[in-house]
């Protein structure tokens, strides 16, 4: 059917042993990045990063569990229902809480076009 796509989060293609679900690619989203991050308690493999080079800002929506976001040296607690925006050039990292965390991550370049990294394309999973 044209005009919409529906998928269940737990059925999305994923990378990094299921920790990053390729929501945007699975849904056919072209105008912004969209991933679901599923990190168990103690998960230490999410890379600290910024988007100074590509200019992408990100919004994180905590769907379940909790996490501390390390943002430019600050530790910001985020429980279920929290929304957090991080500017492009700001270093960020995620430290899952004791029950783990499920996060919807949304990213786009303000005033620019989004380009999905090759590793986040479904074709890369084949």
């Amino acid at each position: 059917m044209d005009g919409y796509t529906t998928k269940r989060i737990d059925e999305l293609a994923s990378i990094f042993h299921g920790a990053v679900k390729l929501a945007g690619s699975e849904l056919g989203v072209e105008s912004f990045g969209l991933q679901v991050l599923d990190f168990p308690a103690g998960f230490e493999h999410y890379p600290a990063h910024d988007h100074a080079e590509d200019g992408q800002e990100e919004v994180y929506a905590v769907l379940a569990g909790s996490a501390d976001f390390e943002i430019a040296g600050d530790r910001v607690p985020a429980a279920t229902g929290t929304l957090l925006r991080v500017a492009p050039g700001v270093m960020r990292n995620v430290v899952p809480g004791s029950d783990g965390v499920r996060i919807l991550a949304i990213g786009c370049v303000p005033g620019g076009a989004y380009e999905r990294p090759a590793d986040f394309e479904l074709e890369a999973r084949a």
Side-chain angles (χ1 to χ4, degrees), residues 45-123:
H45 303 290
Y46 187 72
H49 70 285
D50 65 27
H51 287 279
E53 196 169 302
D54 64 14
Q56 179 175 280
E57 68 181 339
E58 292 181 309
V59 171
Y60 298 95
V62 179
L63 303 178
S66 65
D68 284 342
F69 285 80
E70 294 176 347
I71 303 171
D74 290 334
R75 198 160 179 111
V76 180
T80 300
T82 300
L83 296 173
L84 175 67
R85 176 200 167 265
V86 184
V90 177
M91 189 62 69
R92 81 279 320 255
N93 200 353
V94 178
V95 179
S98 61
D99 293 327
V101 66
R102 175 173 272 184
I103 298 168
L104 180 65
I106 306 161
C108 193
V109 177
Y114 175 76
E115 293 185 32
R116 187 177 327 282
D119 288 351
F120 289 77
E121 290 287 354
L122 286 178
E123 293 78 28

